[in-house]
Each structure stands twice: as C-alpha cells, then as structure tokens.
Amino acid sequence: MQKKLIKVNPSDNVAVALVNLKADEVVSFQNEDIRIVSDVKAKHKIALNKFEIGEEIMMYGVLVGKASEAIEKGNVLTTENVKHQSAKVSKKTDTIGWTAPKVDKWKDKTFMGYHREDGQVGTANVWLFFPLVFCENKNIEKLRDIFEKELLTKQSNAHQMLLRSLVNGSEDSDTEVIESTRVFENIDVKFITHPGGCGGIRQDSESLARLLAGYVKNPNVAGATVLSLGCQNLQIDIFNKALEAISPDNKKPVLMYEQQQMGTVDDMLSAIIKNSYAAIKEANEIERQPAPLSKLKVGLECGGSDGFSGISANPTLGYTSDMLVALGGTAILAEFPELCGVEQELVNRCTNETSAKRFLELMQAYEKSVVDAGSGFDMNPSPGNIKDGLITDAMKSAGAAKKGGTSPVVDVLDYGEYITKPGLNLLCTPGNDVESTTAMVGSGANIVLFTTGLGTPTGNPITPVIKVSSNSELATKMSDIIDVDTGDVIKGEKTIEEMAETMLDYIIDVASGTIKSKASLLNQDDFIPWKRGVSL
C-alpha cells in the first residue's frame, strides 16, 4: 500500500503529501496519528507540529521558511502562512566527506562517441551555423532552409496533412508520419540565432563571444560556419580571442564570413554554401568509436518543477551524478538562484577555500544585482511551482540542489567559463530553463539531464537533453517529451539507487546514438544567452 506522507530528512518538521488528503482525515505517520486540518493536494506540505508566528520551517534538513501566521499541526503550508527564509552563509565551516557509490558494474563499460583531437569525446557530431550579431539572423534562417531541404528530405507530417485536409474542405487526413531521409549519416547540421552581439554594453558582447566559443569547443561540434555583419560590438577578433582563450590549439574548422566585406547577400551565401558543404562532407567521415564513461560531461537541469521533483527525479539525478563522478566523469550543477538556502552545504563540499570563496562571491553578487533591480531570489518560484507545492525559493532550492548528489565540489565557474576538472562543478547561471541549459552546453556538457514535474519541451541544438519526469502521471500525459519516468520512487516501487542505475544505462544509450532523446526527435533546438547588462 502506498504511503500517504513522507518526511525527507529526519530533522524536518514538515511532511510531503504523496496523495490527496481530505480535511479531518486521520493519517498514521511515524507512530502517531495526525488529523488533517484542511484538504491537502498531493505534493504539498503539512505541519508536523504547531508553528507560532516566526518559527522556523525545516525541510531537506535546511531552513526553508518561517511561519508568517500560526499554523496548526496537520494543516497545509501555503504562501499565505509561510514566507521565504534561508540561512546566511559567510564562509566554509567544515569539509564534508564523501563515500562514493559502488560502480564496479560500469567501470569497464563504454559509450560510442566522436573523438576530438583535444581529447574530448562527443555524444553527437554537429556542424553548427551561428551569427555574431542578430543582424545576420535572417541569413542564418535562409541557410537553414537551404541546407535542411537538401540534406534532410522531410516528408509531410501529421499536422501538415491535417491542415491540408482542412484547406481542402475535409476533416479526414492521412496522419502517418513518414521517416525523413538523410544525405549524410554521421553529421547533423544545426543553426543558432540570438538577439545579441550589438546594442548592449561591451561586456554582454564579450560574454556572448565566450558562450559561442564554448559551443565551438564543445565535443559534440565538428566545426562551425560563423556570420558577421562587420560593424557590430561582437567583432570577429573578439570571438577569435575568446576561442583562443579556451581552446588555444583549436583544430576544428571555423569558417568566418563578414557581409560588409563581401558585397551582396547572394555572393556571400554562395560562398558559404560551397565551403560549408565541403567541410560538412569531410566531417561526415568521422565515425563513433568506444570511449570510457569518464568522457561524459553531464549538465544537471530542472524546469517546471513540482512538489515531487526534490523527492524522486532530482535525487535520482544526484545519485547518477555521484556514479559518474566515481567513474571519473564530470557533472555540472548550475541555476544559482535555485541554490539559495543550501549554500553552506555546497561551500563545505568545496575541495578548497578558493572555490568556496568564489562560490559565495558569485552568489552574493548575483543576489545583489537582483535586489538592485527591485526583485529578489524569493521571487524565483513560478506560479506553476507554487501551485504544485513549492511555496518558497529556499524550499524549491533545497529540492533542486539534490541534482548535485553528494560528491565534492571540485571547481566553481562563472557564466561562459569552460569545464577543466572532472568531478562536480558549480556554474553560475540563471534559473531560467533555457538560459541555464544553454550555458551548461557552452561550458562543455555533452549530455543534459533535465527533470520536470509539470512538463517542459526544452532541448538544445548540439547536446542531447534527456527529460526526466518526477511522477508517472506526467510521463503518461506528456509521453512525447518524457524519456525517463521516476514516478516509481513516489509509488514506493523503486529506490533512488535503482532509478539511478536505470538512468545511467539510458545515458549510455543516448550518448552512443542508439536512442534519440525526445527533445532531439522534436528538434527542440533552444538557445538563449544570458543578457546580464542593460541595452544602450
């Protein structure tokens, strides 16, 4: 029989409802009977003792809020009776030890990847087109249309057939989706557009240059075609310097075109098509070869989170992260606004004082910029988060941080910096799903694991994004976007460790190209740079 309540940490004074509970229902929990005061929806929290105004509320073993009004034992926590509160952290106070999980089963396993000259291994092989400035977006779109029509012959899909039938005055249509045919088997051609490169402060253009350089260095990219207008803030030499800084011995082909130097659009596009086709044809010769799991660099993301995310999906990612780290691989935990309240644990997990100090400096500077803009980290939970039980930022953060497991923090990076150390890395990004995913890929992630409780279709143009549901209802309702369902944890049918083993096997299949993630099948190629400055 499924449990009705769960307490995540022994020191917590709240419990999570695993099913809908009715007012006056009596629930037996930890050797006592609790009378439910008012209706409680699954995923929401109830008080395990009476709270007076100002008393601290603990969940995941950390402070997640304070009572803003008296709360009866057995009553539901809401935005009306709880306000955000998190512990203040000033320094590293301890060093947390780590017991690595047993990974003997995977030590000799490999994935089939694309080996690069710098020693990295890709899970995909992509030729990437992108502009240095938004003025070239139109030309990128033209190139997308040209290359996709010739290199990927797409048949009419179900939705096109539906519209065609409606135009023809009939509601009947053949909804069969026919497989696309490809000219090249070992290379994908992808296109990025963005709204940056000019019009803002110089620092934004330099930041964008580092991000785009990271995409070129990412092991999933074989080479790139880059378009410049000529007069923009993000000049070609700024991009080249950014690429040289993170990849001084870059051997990948990077084709550069500047419109103001080339004359007509027709002349420029003709040159781009000829040269890019030749380079793409050559990149298609690269084939997958076995690689150790230590070559995996996994980004950890969550979006559309619910009250179960921190109990099932995120801890599954955390244990998977620990397994990969134990195998010599790399994990990236980002979304700094969603680490608010768990800073002390993360600081104490840092392997040295330098990393601990940098993490606090980046967190404090980020929070100050948010406050200066008239907001705060406490505004982070979205309406969807709140509706599904995540009522304070600290509560959301404590669950989100579970994606990072328990392994030591080996490095702390600012936005646009590239991963250099295997192990768990912290990367400063916004909590915004696409901005954060975009940044982790720019820092070298060749796989992204993305948990969701409400459902989100986010993907990436060069890196497979594996979507993980926190509950089975979502996995059934939105089966077209969910790859792995951790709902069995909520139902008590699987442990976190068992789900993590399933996850790691799935990662190996996606990294080897034997399974395509749902986001890749949907061509969900999202790319949003973080604009940290103002527009001028």
Side-chain angles (χ1 to χ4, degrees), residues 341-409:
V342 294
E343 294 98 330
Q344 191 67 69
E345 178 200 336
L346 291 170
V347 164
N348 290 347
R349 284 167 60 184
C350 289
T351 55
N352 56 69
E353 292 285 349
T354 301
S355 293
K357 183 178 179 182
R358 191 172 197 217
F359 173 60
L360 288 177
E361 288 174 347
L362 288 171
M363 281 289 288
Q364 290 162 3
Y366 192 168
E367 186 169 20
K368 182 179 183 302
S369 70
V370 174
V371 172
D372 289 345
S375 188
F377 281 173
D378 60 312
M379 299 297 290
N380 180 259
S382 69
N385 296 149
I386 294 168
K387 182 181 177 182
D388 263 43
L390 300 176
I391 60 172
T392 74
D393 181 58
M395 186 181 290
K396 180 181 178 182
S397 297
K402 293 296 179 184
K403 301 192 303 293
T406 59
S407 66
V409 175

Side-chain angles (χ1 to χ4, degrees), residues 12 73 86 105 119 153 181 183 200 217 248 261 298 354 487 528 530:
D12 292 354
K73 179 179 178 179
S86 61
K105 178 181 174 182
T153 305
T181 57
V183 173
K217 183 176 174 66
Q261 297 295 321
V298 177
T354 301
I528 302 179
W530 184 16

Side-chain angles (χ1 to χ4, degrees), residues 114-133:
Y114 295 96
H115 292 248
R116 307 302 180 190
E117 291 190 42
D118 62 2
Q120 297 186 103
V121 180
T123 64
N125 193 35
V126 176
W127 186 272
L128 187 62
F129 286 76
F130 63 84
L132 294 183
V133 63

Side-chain angles (χ1 to χ4, degrees), residues 503-517:
M503 181 72 67
L504 185 52
D505 285 335
Y506 196 87
I507 291 169
I508 294 169
D509 285 337
V510 172
S512 300
T514 56
I515 293 177
K516 267 201 163 188
S517 71

